[in-house]
Amino acid sequence: MKKAYVFLADGFEETEAVFPADILRRAGISVALVSCTEAKTVIGAHGIALVCDTTLEEVKKSPLPDAVILPGGMPGAVNLAQNDGIRAFVTSMNEEKKIIAAICASPAVAFSAFGMLKGRNYTCYPGMEKEIPEELNGNWKEYSVVVDGNLVTSRGPGTAGEFGFSLVDVMIGDGASCKLRQGMLCE
């Protein structure tokens, strides 16, 4: 069974975490919500508390999953970017050519800081691409979701569903999300 981790730091955008996680689970992918703090409860940008399945410290001891997902939100994206454990985990995933995914602010704030965007096609929350230092920037595209090899990025809360469906297609195979989209009335 394919496995994905959704990393959550205080201030994450709730929709960007829950909607993709839900879609992946509906597709039969094992998804763990992973707290980047010592506590399993993480508070979103809009005050919604989520109880995570596990913590970053616990998953560091396990084999790498097939995908990691970083939701945006402020200050969630900044908290992810400043976490050395997340940086090391995402770097290991990228080196192993496993799927690294981020949405909204996280491509611009976290993935750029981790050096994941240079020379790559990506998207993020509109305007944030202009804040990335030139030496860390890639090729920003104005699409809802951009897939460049193992890098999957998306724009914001309104694209969280499309982001989740794209992750299903990348993880399972093109077209794998079709029945799911129909069943969820997303067509």
Side-chain angles (χ1 to χ4, degrees):
M1 175 183 279
K2 299 278 185 178
K3 186 171 194 168
Y5 291 159
V6 179
F7 287 125
L8 301 181
D10 285 328
F12 70 94
E13 173 59 51
E14 294 92 341
T15 302
E16 297 166 0
V18 174
F19 204 5
D22 177 75
I23 289 169
L24 290 171
R25 285 185 179 176
R26 288 172 190 248
I29 295 167
S30 172
V31 178
L33 300 178
V34 181
S35 170
C36 298
T37 69
E38 292 178 10
K40 283 192 177 178
T41 300
V42 183
I43 308 299
H46 301 99
I48 299 172
L50 284 185
V51 178
C52 292
D53 303 299
T54 188
T55 66
L56 176 60
E57 288 306 312
E58 291 172 0
V59 299
K60 283 186 199 176
K61 303 169 192 168
S62 302
L64 293 175
D66 299 290
V68 293
I69 302 160
L70 277 60
M74 287 298 189
V78 172
N79 290 335
L80 291 170
Q82 293 175 347
N83 187 308
D84 291 335
I86 296 294
R87 175 189 295 266
F89 203 99
V90 171
T91 299
S92 294
M93 291 286 293
N94 192 49
E95 288 170 354
E96 295 291 323
K97 302 292 184 221
K98 294 187 176 269
I99 298 162
I100 57 171
I103 184 170
C104 196
S106 282
V109 175
F111 277 5
S112 70
F114 302 164
M116 302 295 145
L117 299 182
K118 187 69 178 162
R120 311 280 302 267
N121 295 317
Y122 75 97
T123 194
C124 63
Y125 192 82
M128 295 201 77
E129 74 282 0
K130 296 173 185 156
E131 298 176 26
I132 301 171
E134 187 176 326
E135 67 275 7
L136 297 174
N137 210 341
N139 306 307
W140 183 78
K141 304 290 182 185
E142 193 171 350
Y143 299 120
S144 296
V145 177
V146 174
V147 178
D148 185 345
N150 68 320
L151 177 70
V152 182
T153 54
S154 190
R155 298 185 77 184
T159 64
E162 189 61 35
F163 181 56
F165 292 125
S166 294
L167 285 166
V168 168
D169 289 336
V170 169
M171 292 182 75
I172 298 175
D174 282 340
S177 69
C178 287
K179 282 187 179 180
L180 203 53
R181 288 173 191 266
Q182 291 169 347
M184 294 177 69
L185 306 179
C186 292
E187 287 210 339

